[in-house]
Amino acid sequence: MSFELPKLSYSYNALEPHIDAQTMEIHYLKHHGGYTNNLNKAIENTPLADLSIEEILKDVSKHSAAVRNNGGGFYNHNLFWTVMSPNGGGKPLGKIAAAINAKFGSFESFKEKFSAAAATRFGSGWAWLIDKDGALEIISTPNQDNPLMDVVEVKGYPLLALDVWEHAYYLKYQNRRPDYIENFWHVVNWHEVERRFTNR
Ligand code: MN
């Protein structure tokens, strides 16, 4: 068995002007495609080839750096594309909205905290909203680590993810990571975040 690069449900220019078409195309085909190919190479002819990506990630400390980096890269980007949408933005609704308000006080306060986690992640990494045993938490991880991995400090089920590697924004935003983060809110697919929160 090998992992496949999932189809994008929107075109490369669909998230314009917030995320530009060239960044989307390179990010998806070259970066996500690269993680997918390299993950397959790393697990070929090993017992990991019979496992799901979630099963691989939960014991990732036992595997090679190639599995950790590329397995994380494969999973994280699969998730990232689905939590954005050309019809995204606005405010969360439903149970996730209630949970955000209960935990963070307001949507604005949640946005500030998540944006700060993304902005202050030094170097390459991700910001996450996770469900940790029924409670929401905001965390960030370095490189392609994610909250399903046994190597991260605070584990949980990822609901929302933001890629803050320079490859995710540099063509359009150069060094202005905070501008990229601010514009991310225009494309967040709250329906998918709600679906992950309620149907896991
Ligand atoms: Mn990326």
Side-chain angles (χ1 to χ4, degrees):
M1 197 186 87
S2 63
F3 293 104
E4 282 181 19
L5 183 64
K7 285 230 153 37
L8 275 183
S9 67
Y10 43 81
S11 57
Y12 296 136
N13 66 3
L15 304 180
E16 294 258 16
H18 312 294
I19 297 181
D20 62 289
Q22 190 186 14
T23 295
M24 273 302 301
E25 181 170 357
I26 295 170
H27 199 175
Y28 171 72
L29 286 179
K30 305 295 183 188
H31 292 274
H32 194 189
Y35 296 125
T36 307
N37 293 338
N38 289 330
L39 172 62
N40 286 328
K41 279 184 211 153
I43 62 170
E44 198 175 20
N45 301 319
T46 78
L48 299 185
D50 298 321
L51 301 182
S52 69
I53 188 62
E54 289 84 357
E55 287 170 323
I56 292 173
L57 296 179
K58 85 178 163 59
D59 293 319
V60 84
S61 64
K62 297 175 183 160
H63 311 319
S64 66
V67 169
R68 177 173 172 174
N69 293 332
N70 294 293
F74 173 72
Y75 180 94
N76 296 349
H77 292 85
N78 286 1
L79 171 62
F80 187 45
W81 310 135
T82 65
V83 296
M84 297 189 291
S85 162
N87 309 118
K91 289 184 173 184
L93 296 167
K95 293 200 168 83
I96 188 66
I100 284 173
N101 288 336
K103 171 75 186 191
F104 303 103
S106 68
F107 177 55
E108 285 309 314
S109 164
F110 159 74
K111 264 175 71 173
E112 261 175 46
K113 287 193 171 73
F114 186 98
S115 297
T120 58
R121 164 49 56 189
F122 184 75
S124 299
W126 292 75
W128 305 91
L129 174 66
I130 64 171
D131 181 338
K132 179 179 158 49
D133 307 321
L136 296 183
E137 298 274 353
I138 291 168
I139 64 163
S140 78
T141 56
N143 305 315
Q144 295 296 352
D145 287 355
N146 73 39
L148 296 177
M149 293 180 172
D150 61 352
V151 293
V152 303
E153 213 170 302
V154 181
K155 290 199 289 177
Y157 181 72
L159 303 174
L160 177 65
L162 176 57
D163 188 344
V164 293
W165 283 57
E166 285 186 347
H167 70 223
Y169 63 85
Y170 211 84
L171 287 176
K172 181 177 174 74
Y173 295 97
Q174 294 82 48
N175 62 325
R176 302 187 306 278
R177 188 193 286 187
D179 292 355
Y180 161 69
I181 296 168
E182 187 55 38
N183 284 333
F184 168 69
W185 297 109
H186 293 289
V187 294
V188 172
N189 182 355
W190 287 111
H191 290 288
E192 177 61 12
V193 179
E194 167 80 349
R195 191 196 64 75
R196 293 183 68 86
F197 184 56
T198 54
N199 304 336
R200 47 173 299 196

